[in-house]
């Protein structure tokens, strides 16, 4: 089953969305300058696929992003996974939102809430990738526990960050972390397909049959060998029944018969969960959250309208004051004795004027107009006050409904917690009753114990049959064969690169997790090969060969590979000219970068559409095939986090 990245999404604290859609089943290139957020993409995908802590670097992204999200394409369906950014200084957040569907549009930030736990996310992604029942059993004499491969182990083959891709010591993602290297060694045979999954199932059945046989044999020994007829397993079951509330703590059973008599009534179903109340699902809480979101949106609208109305009232009052002062100044015309006097004489002393004054009627007209406008403004004041009162009433009503909603949500959460406790108690009691019922049904205390003897013989026969079916394990032989094939792929890919030992036979050493070149002078491991060019080249061709094998064998490994800064050995950030051109490099460096990128593109075409390769780099080749693969160029202000998020 394919499992690829359709979109990477960031949410700002105010709900704005930044999307980075990717093309499925082909090469995707994101090129750009340093410190634009390219390397954070691996950490974002890693976090959204269930890593415990968020390793997105402290800085701009951690400050300005509220949720990280990834939309995965799994065959014909999609899985949207969002995790809350723990924020600066914090390691993780428990808030995980998951949505599944055929086509999922990007949800608004108001729709994101915790609806899944971290463990449940891992189980869901295991199933989505196609990881079946599996288990690696350490060789006899080793003390570590058996390991079950999961999505976290599979993802070690899908990431190569810039600190790993040029390492001579670390070949796979996170192998420098505690226990990760051993986990890869234990799980890689399963992911390569060397482990027979049918045999694993039979081994699990065999383990169960052996446990059942030992239990029956122990019961038989109790009955046959206990001269005092003191049944320790029965007494242990009675103590367990007391601890889970099935039997009163004050009950005392001094004899074996009394113990059996105390256990026998518990086989009736009416004694389990008598007070258990079936609780509702999360639907009620979801409805309350949806109602709360709607109330908040409505309240925000009311508050915005209140702000606008109050601002209008303030401006209206300012206008009234200014207009009143203007009317007072103009009303001085009322001092004139005759508003109809001619303009040739002074209106106060009536002396003749050399230059006629403005007509008094003009002043009177302006005064009348000002008076009319003031009346209109004053008539609007009661309406504004009424509008404000109505809005304030609606605001108080909505705030009250929000408080009520919060109280109902708190009550629902308390109910859910009670239901969960009741359910857990019911499960524990039911498990104890099952053990008691099975014990009493198999421990027949008749003289010949014929029923129990027959069950022991049947259990032993089942163990013998399953042991024969399991047979010899040829996983090691298959593993060596598969590694040889992958080694030939690596050797073929090395011919396209000018690497040291490129003419030698290459192989993947699973015991040491490194690449080895078999030369005429003996084996040469990766850490003894000089220069960053060799380390990057062998990293890239190893992961390309592995993913080609994974896809050919339809193995349960995510079908995407993210490579971060594979050109760094030739094109460090300080050589970036501003447009990503490699023309400033020496000829041999230009050739090496072009060959490396060409190999990546060639393998992407070979495996398409089963594999998605995401290339993150400073370099920007001026070639048609490379330009066609570019998704975004992060230069001249364009970055993973939009500048307007940062400016505000």
């Amino acid at each position: 089953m394919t499992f690829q990245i359709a979109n990477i999404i960031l949410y700002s604290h105010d709900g704005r969305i930044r999307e980075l859609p990717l093309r499925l089943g082909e090469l995707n290139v994101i090129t750009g300058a340093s410190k634009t957020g390219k390397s954070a993409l691996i950490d974002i995908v890693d976090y959204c696929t269930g890593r415990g802590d968020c390793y997105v670097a402290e800085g701009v992204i951690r400050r300005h992003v509220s949720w990280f999200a990834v939309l995965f394409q799994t065959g014909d369906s999609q899985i949207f996974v969002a995790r809350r950014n723990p924020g600066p200084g914090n390691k993780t957040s428990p808030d995980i939102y998951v949505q599944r569907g055929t086509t999922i549009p990007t949800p608004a930030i108001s729709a994101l809430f915790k609806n899944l736990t971290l463990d449940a996310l891992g189980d869901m992604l295991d199933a989505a990738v196609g990881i079946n029942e599996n288990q690696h059993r350490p060789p006899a004499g080793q003390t570590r526990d058996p390991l079950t491969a999961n999505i976290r182990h599979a993802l070690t083959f899908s990431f190569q960050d810039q600190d790993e891709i040029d390492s001579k010591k670390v070949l796979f993602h996170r192998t420098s972390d505690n226990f990760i290297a051993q986990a890869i060694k234990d799980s890689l045979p399963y992911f390569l397909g060397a482990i027979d999954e049918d045999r694993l199932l039979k081994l699990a059945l065999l383990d169960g049959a052996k446990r059942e046989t030992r239990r029956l044999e122990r019961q038989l020994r109790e009955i046959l060998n206990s001269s005092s007829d003191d049944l320790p397993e029965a007494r242990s079951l009675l103590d367990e029944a007391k601890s889970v509330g099935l039997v009163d703590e004050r009950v005392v059973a001094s004899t074996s018969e009394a113990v059996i008599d105390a256990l026998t009534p518990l086989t009736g179903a009416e004694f389990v969960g008598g007070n258990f109340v079936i609780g509702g699902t999360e639907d009620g809480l979801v409805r309350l959250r949806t109602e709360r979101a709607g109330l908040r949106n409505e309240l925000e609208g009311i508050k915005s309208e209140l702000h606008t109305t109050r601002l209008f009232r303030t401006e209206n009052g300012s206008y009234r004051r200014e207009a009143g002062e203007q009317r007072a100044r103009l009303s001085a015309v009322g001092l004139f004795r005759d508003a109809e006097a001619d303009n040739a004489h002074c209106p106060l002393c009536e002396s003749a004027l050399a230059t006629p004054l403005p007509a008094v009627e003009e002043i009177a007209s302006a005064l009348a107009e000002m008076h009319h406008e003031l009346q209109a403004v004053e008539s609007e004041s009661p309406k504004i006050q009424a509008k404000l009162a109505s809005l304030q009433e609606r605001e108080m009503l909505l705030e009250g409904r929000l408080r009520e909603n919060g109280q109902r949500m708190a009550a629902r959460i308390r109910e859910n917690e009670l239901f969960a406790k009741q359910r857990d108690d019911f499960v524990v009691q039911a498990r104890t009753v099952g053990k008691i019922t099975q014990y009493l049904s198999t421990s027949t205390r008749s003289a010949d114990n014929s029923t129990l003897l027959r069950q022991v013989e049947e259990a032993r026969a089942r163990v013998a049959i399953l042991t024969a079916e399991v047979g010899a394990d040829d996983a090691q032989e298959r593993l060596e064969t598969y590694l040889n094939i992958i080694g030939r792929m690596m050797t073929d890919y090395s011919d396209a690169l000018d690497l040291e030992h490129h003419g030698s036979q290459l192989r993947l050493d699973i015991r040491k997790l490194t690449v080895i070149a078999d030369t005429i002078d003996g084996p040469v491991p990766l850490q003894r090969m000089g220069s960053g060019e060799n380390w990057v080249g062998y990293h890239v061709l190893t992961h390309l060969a592995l993913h080609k094998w994974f896809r050919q064998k339809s193995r349960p490994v995510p079908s995407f590979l993210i490579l971060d800064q594979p050109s760094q050995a030739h094109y460090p950030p300080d050589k970036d000219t501003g447009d990503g051109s490699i023309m400033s490099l020496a000829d041999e460096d230009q050739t090496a970068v072009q060959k490396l990128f060409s190999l990546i593109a060639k393998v992407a075409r070979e495996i398409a559409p089963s594999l998605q390769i995401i290339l993150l780099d400073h370099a920007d080749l001026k070639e048609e095939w490379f330009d066609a693969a570019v998704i975004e160029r992060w230069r001249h202000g364009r970055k993973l986090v939009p500048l307007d998020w940062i400016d505000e």
Side-chain angles (χ1 to χ4, degrees):
M1 178 183 292
T2 58
F3 185 87
Q4 300 182 2
I5 302 172
N7 202 353
I8 298 175
I9 306 110
L10 307 183
Y11 291 83
S12 71
H13 292 288
D14 60 5
R16 284 174 290 177
I17 297 174
R18 160 71 156 114
E19 296 189 70
L20 180 61
L22 300 172
R23 293 191 286 262
L24 302 175
E26 57 184 279
L27 175 62
N28 294 257
V29 176
I30 299 172
T31 178
S34 297
K35 301 180 181 179
T36 53
K38 299 188 301 299
S39 296
L41 295 177
I42 287 180
D43 295 317
I44 291 171
V45 177
D46 206 7
Y47 186 51
C48 289
T49 47
R51 189 168 186 180
D53 293 342
C54 178
Y55 279 82
V56 176
E58 297 284 351
V60 170
I61 301 176
R62 292 289 287 268
R63 287 196 302 271
H64 297 284
V65 174
S66 60
W67 286 77
F68 302 110
V70 180
L71 179 65
F72 296 103
Q73 187 74 38
T74 59
D76 295 330
S77 63
Q78 293 183 330
I79 301 175
F80 176 87
V81 180
R83 294 192 67 181
R84 188 185 297 277
N85 176 13
N90 298 315
K91 290 185 176 181
T92 189
S93 168
D95 295 344
I96 303 173
Y97 173 79
V98 173
Q99 183 179 344
R100 304 193 68 166
T102 303
T103 303
I104 302 176
T106 301
I109 193 171
S110 59
L112 305 183
F113 61 92
K114 180 181 179 180
N115 65 355
L116 207 67
T117 63
L118 189 61
D119 290 341
L121 174 63
D123 293 340
M124 184 195 69
L125 295 181
D126 285 352
V129 174
I131 297 177
N132 298 321
E133 189 74 25
N134 69 89
Q135 189 179 68
H136 170 80
R137 302 178 179 217
Q142 297 193 10
T143 58
R144 69 179 186 275
D145 294 331
L147 177 137
T148 299
N150 57 40
I151 182 68
R152 299 305 310 158
H153 301 124
L155 284 164
T156 58
F157 311 113
S158 289
F159 300 132
Q160 281 284 283
D161 68 34
Q162 62 178 330
D163 295 326
E164 296 164 342
I165 201 167
D166 68 343
S167 173
K168 64 180 179 179
K169 295 181 179 179
V170 174
L171 184 60
F172 296 107
H173 183 57
R174 295 184 60 199
T175 46
S176 58
D177 294 357
N178 291 336
F179 309 113
I180 297 295
Q182 186 61 55
I184 294 176
K185 295 175 186 178
D186 290 345
S187 62
L188 186 53
Y190 166 74
F191 289 120
L192 291 176
I195 303 299
D196 185 346
E197 295 178 24
D198 290 337
R199 187 173 184 277
L200 286 175
L201 176 60
K202 291 176 182 177
L203 282 170
L205 293 174
L206 177 59
D207 287 343
K210 287 179 177 178
R211 286 193 298 271
E212 177 66 10
T213 301
R214 288 192 296 269
R215 188 187 65 79
L216 293 171
E217 289 174 340
R218 184 171 60 252
Q219 287 188 21
L220 183 61
R221 285 194 302 272
E222 284 184 8
I223 295 174
L224 295 178
N225 300 331
S226 294
S227 57
S228 63
D229 206 25
D230 184 20
L231 306 178
E233 185 172 355
R235 290 189 178 279
S236 175
L237 287 172
L238 180 59
D239 290 339
E240 184 177 335
K242 290 180 180 180
S243 69
V244 300
L246 289 170
V247 176
D248 194 314
E249 287 283 351
R250 295 169 294 181
V251 170
V252 177
S254 57
T255 65
S256 299
E257 287 77 8
V259 173
I260 297 299
D261 290 342
L263 292 177
T264 301
L266 298 180
T267 58
E270 66 272 13
F271 291 95
V272 181
N275 297 322
F276 180 67
V277 179
I278 301 298
T281 63
E282 290 287 323
D283 292 346
L285 197 55
V286 170
R287 285 194 297 271
L288 288 171
R289 285 195 178 105
T290 303
E291 178 188 348
R292 189 172 187 82
L295 289 172
R296 280 177 170 171
N297 289 337
E298 188 175 355
L299 182 60
E300 288 175 4
I302 293 297
K303 287 183 178 296
S304 175
E305 193 172 354
L306 264 172
H307 175 74
T308 302
T309 305
R310 287 177 176 136
L311 182 64
F312 179 76
R313 182 183 63 178
T314 300
E315 294 175 350
N316 180 279
S318 299
Y319 178 78
R320 288 172 58 195
R321 287 191 297 273
E322 290 293 334
E325 292 176 3
Q326 183 69 12
R327 183 175 64 177
R329 289 192 293 268
L330 292 175
S331 61
V333 74
L335 299 174
F336 301 160
R337 179 170 41 81
D338 184 3
E340 299 298 329
D342 64 278
N343 299 352
H345 296 83
C346 173
L348 296 178
C349 63
E350 297 184 350
S351 60
L353 299 174
T355 303
L357 292 173
V360 174
E361 59 267 19
E362 293 179 13
I363 301 176
S365 175
L367 177 61
E369 183 179 353
M370 184 63 65
H371 182 72
H372 176 73
E373 289 179 359
L374 269 175
Q375 283 183 326
V377 170
E378 289 168 350
S379 67
E380 288 295 326
S381 294
K383 296 179 182 178
I384 296 173
Q385 289 299 120
K387 177 69 171 178
L388 276 174
S390 174
L391 290 174
Q392 288 169 344
E393 182 179 355
R394 288 175 62 190
E395 180 185 34
M396 292 175 61
L397 177 62
L398 287 171
E399 288 174 344
R401 291 178 62 188
L402 271 173
R403 284 193 297 273
E404 180 186 355
N405 175 275
Q407 294 167 356
R408 287 161 57 199
M409 284 183 64
R412 174 65 70 173
I413 290 171
R414 287 193 296 271
E415 289 175 4
N416 286 351
E417 291 173 349
L418 175 61
F419 294 149
K421 183 179 184 306
Q422 289 179 326
R423 183 179 62 248
D424 293 344
D425 292 345
F426 174 78
V427 170
V428 171
Q429 289 181 346
R431 186 180 298 117
T432 301
V433 167
K435 291 159 67 175
I436 292 171
T437 302
Q438 186 175 31
Y439 175 81
L440 293 177
S441 67
T442 56
S443 59
T444 304
R445 298 171 54 82
S446 61
D448 58 3
N449 300 300
S450 58
T451 301
L452 185 56
L453 283 168
R454 186 178 68 254
Q455 290 175 337
V456 170
E457 292 302 320
E458 290 174 353
R460 288 171 177 168
R462 180 168 175 77
V463 169
I465 292 171
L466 287 171
T467 300
E469 289 180 354
V470 167
D473 186 8
D474 57 353
Q476 186 60 37
E477 185 177 350
R478 284 197 299 273
L479 178 61
E480 291 174 359
T481 299
Y482 295 166
L483 289 175
N484 286 337
I485 296 173
I486 293 170
R488 286 201 297 271
M489 293 181 189
M490 294 163 59
T491 303
D492 292 341
Y493 290 157
S494 70
D495 291 339
L497 306 176
D498 293 329
L499 303 177
E500 188 177 3
H501 311 297
H502 73 275
S504 304
Q505 175 66 43
L506 301 177
R507 57 187 168 92
L508 175 61
D509 187 337
I510 192 174
R511 293 179 295 107
K512 297 182 180 179
L513 296 181
T514 190
V515 176
I516 292 181
D518 289 325
T519 72
I520 58 174
D521 297 320
V524 180
L526 181 64
Q527 62 183 1
R528 296 215 319 259
M529 299 177 189
S531 84
E533 176 184 358
N534 286 302
W535 302 330
V536 170
Y538 285 119
H539 272 252
V540 170
L541 63 85
T542 298
H543 283 79
L544 292 177
L546 276 172
H547 275 275
K548 185 172 183 179
W549 175 260
F550 292 148
R551 303 281 63 83
Q552 287 178 343
K553 297 288 287 184
S554 300
R555 298 307 300 158
V557 175
S559 43
F560 63 81
L561 173 62
I562 306 181
L563 303 172
D564 186 15
Q565 312 295 346
S567 73
Q568 60 185 290
H570 306 279
Y571 190 61
D574 57 1
K575 290 188 177 181
D576 191 348
T577 59
D579 61 355
S581 172
I582 63 173
M583 299 306 294
S584 62
L585 304 180
D587 291 344
E588 58 270 21
D589 287 328
Q590 292 185 39
T591 301
V593 172
Q594 289 173 335
K595 286 185 175 182
L596 184 63
F597 285 5
S598 295
L599 174 63
I600 295 170
K602 173 179 174 291
V603 176
R605 290 191 300 270
E606 287 178 356
I607 311 178
S610 300
L611 178 65
Q612 176 188 49
I613 299 179
I614 302 170
L615 176 61
L616 315 172
D617 212 285
H618 300 298
D620 191 347
L621 304 189
K622 308 307 178 186
E623 298 187 25
E624 184 176 347
W625 66 266
F626 186 89
D627 186 65
V630 172
I631 299 298
E632 289 189 6
R633 288 181 167 89
W634 294 352
R635 297 181 184 277
H636 310 301
R638 187 170 190 181
K639 303 180 180 182
L640 176 61
V641 176
L643 288 180
D644 57 352
W645 292 14
I646 301 170
D647 294 341
E648 296 177 13

